[in-house]
Amino acid sequence: MWTLVGRGWGCARTLARWATGAALGPAPTFGAAPESWPTCRVYSSAEFKEKLDMSRFPVENIRNFSIVAHVDHGKSTLADRLLELTGTIDKTKNNKQVLDKLQVERERGITVKAQTASLFYNCEGKQYLLNLIDTPGHVDFSYEVSRSLSACQGVLLVVDANEGIQAQTVANFFLAFEAQLSVIPVINKIDLKNADPERVENQIEKVFDIPSDECIKISAKLGTNVESVLQAVIERIPPPKVHRKNPLRALVFDSTFDQYRGVIANVALFDGVVSKGDKIVSAHTQKTYEVNEVGVLNPNEQPTHKLYAGQVGYLIAGMKNVIEAQIGDTLYLHKQPVEPLPGFKSAKPMVFAGMYPVDQSEYNNLKSAIEKLTLNDSSVTVHRDSSLALGAGWRLGFLGLLHMEVFNQRLEQEYNASVILTTPTVPYKAVLSSSKLIKEYREKEITIINPAQFPDKSKVTEYLEPVVLGTIITPDEYTGKIMMLCEARRAVQKNMIFIDQNRVMLKYLFPLNEIVVDFYDSLKSLSSGYASFDYEDAGYQTAELVKMDILLNGNTVEELVTVVHKDKAHSIGKAICERLKDSLPRQLFEIAIQAAIGSKIIARETVKAYRKNVLAKCYGGDITRKMKLLKRQAEGKKKLRKIGNVEVPKDAFIKVLKTRSSK
């Protein structure tokens, strides 16, 4: 049911005509709008309910917790059941990943953005406020998890009863452990035919040192035993340690941009109270704002009179500029300054790629879209960049290749922006050799995020490449194949532990550029999908690196310039040339695809020209006539090749990214 409101009946009638044509459900009812509401807006009936009084929830009745797990272990399904149990959403068959609101999440079936929901739960005559944060499970979105944990006092660690502990389960446990949060292990999918909860209990006890009797066995899909999860949250997770009588201190842990209302900040209150009309100050920008609206996410926005310390909600304060809303910022009341909260350790980008508008006239629109999307995804770093071939653009830093793909997809879906992405690279370092160069760059060790700026060997004493400590968890029958794959990627084995009779945990030191593109795909195909992978930063090591150019008819394709290890240059160059040959459309002239290191060509492929049969009209006659026609055709092709431009289609770049298939 929808209620249409507006100041003035003309406004409401206009809305009514629009809404009934827009299939908003049953016919609308009319209502007068409160003075504080915008002049024209469509509200659901829920928004006409009286605002929630959050003072009903004392600190001891508040629990803030996150759900963390490996990919596809049932976090979002468990969140759906918890929302249903507490009456936050109606129980219907359509409740599938309710908190996954983005189109990209629906299409890919993964969570990429942490989502908050406030649940009201009655237990033993007491009304509890449970603030739930559903987090992503993929390693590329681990920054979302670490940020979410800052607003929590405990976590539900969900483990699949069939697959057991996976790499990201281990990583998420240690994130929670370092933050000193209470961990409640939940074994999900006990309804599956091959489920073995006892085996998983033993794994949890061995790897995490959590007694097996603390594990809760559930089926989130069927709703089996989910009620006991809520009981455990109340009993085992402590209430937040906050002081409501102190001046306001609120941490901004996430934010989104609404083109009508400006920045909507997700906040966790550590001290004090905030209400509509308060004047607040940002510790980062020192700008003062007036609070227009506060509320909780239930899971949609539900305005309240006030928010109190210990609670998690949203706040709208008329921040119109994207730069004003910094994630990790502290908000406090005007003329009541406080010590800012520690905020967040900034995310360290693992992959860099150039991003350029398809048409330079779209530059400003794309700039605005990137600014708004980086507000919602603060782990992306942005640097201005320009290219001779592609014009003005940016070099963006991502946490992984999936992160890059999702960011690009969100740009297209949410902002209708079409972009050209260059080959992803990792940040290399070079130690300069001469004092003149050190003076020019103002430092001895320079970081290279753009392969086009890779310095010549004559200018440096050594190159450094980033390395990561990778964790692989796999059934033991695939160990041999996986070890061979790791050795082929120049990895060094550090450790090997048997978790139980069937599963092995391997630790390897990998060069980052060897795993960033297609290692995960190769690992999954080798292990029939059973192995899992996670990695963390481990600094830099020396390496023999070279810059490899890709040439089309002698012209360098700037987007495909890449930095590779000297030993692998030939195989990678050959693979890229072969992929380009398959991807480029044929022209009326021949296209030579070459991979070059400096002036030395190391690989070549040729795309043959379309060829008209000029001898079709010759039947019989002298051979010189035929030779003359063929010679004229060859001269025409040669001339075309000089003046013809080869445009690389956008999809060809994506196909070339995966350097080679592991054999």
Side-chain angles (χ1 to χ4, degrees), residues 250-521:
L251 175 74
V252 179
F253 67 90
D254 202 356
S255 53
T256 51
F257 190 83
D258 184 295
Q259 68 182 99
Y260 301 110
R261 297 184 292 168
V263 174
I264 302 169
N266 286 15
V267 292
L269 271 68
F270 284 79
D271 288 313
V273 182
V274 66
S275 59
K276 186 184 168 183
D278 284 350
K279 281 199 160 45
I280 58 167
V281 181
S282 157
H284 177 74
T285 62
Q286 292 300 312
K287 287 189 178 179
T288 305
Y289 307 95
E290 185 176 331
V291 178
N292 299 331
E293 188 181 313
V294 291
V296 292
L297 294 153
N298 188 22
N300 299 319
E301 290 167 15
Q302 176 81 33
T304 63
H305 293 289
K306 293 181 180 181
L307 277 180
Y308 295 84
Q311 295 172 357
V312 175
Y314 72 92
L315 179 148
I316 302 171
M319 296 180 187
K320 293 295 178 190
N321 195 333
V322 170
I323 302 157
E324 294 173 39
Q326 290 288 326
I327 287 178
D329 194 5
T330 301
L331 304 176
Y332 58 87
L333 290 175
H334 185 52
K335 294 184 179 173
Q336 292 186 31
V338 293
E339 182 72 27
L341 293 156
F344 306 111
K345 194 168 66 174
S346 56
K348 190 172 181 184
M350 293 291 198
V351 182
F352 287 87
M355 185 174 277
Y356 301 89
V358 173
D359 184 350
Q360 278 296 310
S361 63
E362 290 292 310
Y363 179 84
N364 287 331
N365 292 343
L366 183 57
K367 182 185 176 186
S368 170
I370 289 173
E371 281 177 355
K372 286 170 185 171
L373 198 47
T374 48
L375 170 72
N376 194 229
D377 187 354
S378 61
S379 54
V380 178
T381 59
V382 183
H383 301 279
R384 288 280 300 277
D385 198 10
S386 62
S387 149
L388 290 172
L390 300 167
W394 301 267
R395 186 145 286 264
L396 303 182
F398 302 97
L399 300 183
L401 200 69
L402 177 66
H403 187 203
M404 182 181 100
E405 287 175 13
V406 165
F407 188 87
N408 187 25
Q409 200 171 333
R410 285 186 70 186
L411 269 179
E412 287 184 5
Q413 289 173 350
E414 295 172 33
Y415 298 97
N416 202 22
S418 189
V419 298
I420 294 170
L421 268 176
T422 63
T423 312
T425 60
V426 299
Y428 295 102
K429 287 187 177 180
V431 181
L432 300 172
S433 56
S434 70
S435 53
K436 187 182 174 184
L437 286 165
I438 294 168
K439 196 175 179 183
E440 186 185 326
Y441 286 100
R442 296 181 183 175
E443 53 189 343
K444 188 172 183 182
E445 204 173 82
I446 58 166
T447 303
I448 306 129
I449 59 172
N450 188 344
Q453 294 162 0
F454 195 75
D456 191 61
K457 184 74 179 118
S458 59
K459 294 181 180 178
V460 299
T461 51
E462 63 176 358
Y463 295 113
L464 303 170
E465 66 177 349
V467 288
V468 293
L469 185 64
T471 304
I472 300 167
I473 295 181
T474 174
D476 58 356
E477 64 258 36
Y478 303 111
T479 310
K481 289 181 185 175
I482 289 170
M483 282 179 161
M484 286 171 68
L485 171 68
C486 295
E487 281 166 22
R489 300 300 178 101
R490 301 190 289 123
V492 179
Q493 189 176 339
K494 290 291 176 187
N495 203 352
M496 180 174 172
I497 302 166
F498 277 84
I499 295 173
D500 57 22
Q501 293 91 337
N502 306 321
R503 299 182 76 75
V504 185
M505 181 158 72
L506 302 164
K507 285 196 179 279
Y508 274 90
L509 200 64
F510 287 95
L512 180 58
N513 67 339
E514 292 286 346
I515 63 161
V516 85
V517 175
D518 62 347
F519 177 78
Y520 191 68
D521 293 345

